[in-house]
Amino acid sequence: MAREPQRSGGGDRRDRRDRSAPVEEQNEFIEKLVHINRVAATVKGGRRFSFAALMVVGDQKGRVGFGHGKAREVPEAIRKATEEAKKSMIRVPLRESRTLHHDGNGRWGAGKVMMRAAPPGTGIIAGGPMRAVLESLGVQDVVGKSTGSSNPYNMVRATFEALKVQSSPRQVASKRGKKVGDIMGRRNDGASAPEAIES
């Protein structure tokens, strides 16, 4: 007799998990905590501790942003950083919705990063903060390398600097007053013009 309530309790726990799963799916943004740091301010009575959080937010469809938040408690710092990240989102054109259109370099302070477009099946070859940004952006195939500072703030900002200079063949053609086919004809990696137009 005592085991039956335990089984029903287990069923309730499964129901709670099932109800919570769709809530995550409904959220259009993916939030990644890149770094959290405990900081101290020396005041008259001693030290006052607070937490600083670095968050990356993206929709995996070409939009990504980052934010920094500081508060006395970790959840509040994460909430502030997430709100700032959503306000500072940028749009990056993706080729075939899976990789970058061309190679790019970015620098911020002592942080230097390099990113290269990759063929299908390569995956995200990057680590740390750069990987969090690329996953949130929706990139599936890319090769990245950090050659400078490993400071997460500098790495994230350098990655964003490299992403801001990305341009699609359509954007380049409109600036030059030419057709996309003329631009794509000089491409060496075998990508066809229709694919570029779709992406």
Side-chain angles (χ1 to χ4, degrees), residues 37-179:
N37 187 31
R38 191 181 76 166
V39 294
T42 304
V43 295
K44 187 175 180 181
R47 287 184 177 178
R48 180 183 296 157
F49 293 99
S50 58
F51 296 90
L54 177 64
M55 293 288 294
V56 171
V57 174
D59 62 355
Q60 290 192 320
K61 297 176 183 177
R63 292 177 64 207
V64 67
F66 75 97
H68 173 254
K70 191 161 68 171
R72 298 291 296 276
E73 301 293 335
V74 174
E76 181 67 12
I78 291 175
R79 185 190 65 79
K80 286 182 179 180
T82 304
E83 287 183 359
E84 184 181 326
K86 289 179 180 178
K87 291 177 183 177
S88 65
M89 296 185 80
I90 62 171
R91 182 170 292 280
V92 181
L94 298 179
R95 184 167 124 214
E96 302 170 13
S97 299
R98 61 164 187 85
T99 189
L100 304 175
H101 280 284
H102 55 82
D103 301 349
N105 296 308
R107 178 168 185 168
W108 187 277
K112 291 180 284 187
V113 300
M114 178 272 297
M115 290 183 292
R116 305 190 71 176
T122 304
I124 300 177
I125 302 178
M130 195 192 309
R131 185 182 189 91
V133 174
L134 294 172
E135 285 180 350
S136 302
L137 179 62
V139 177
Q140 300 172 14
D141 304 298
V142 68
V143 177
K145 178 71 176 176
S146 171
T147 56
S149 168
S150 60
N151 183 319
Y153 292 90
N154 285 349
M155 286 184 66
V156 167
R157 286 186 169 95
T159 304
F160 271 78
E161 289 299 310
L163 293 174
K164 285 178 183 177
V165 299
Q166 287 288 318
S167 59
S168 66
R170 183 182 296 173
Q171 293 171 338
V172 175
S174 64
K175 286 180 182 178
R176 296 182 183 178
K178 297 185 178 182
K179 296 180 180 178

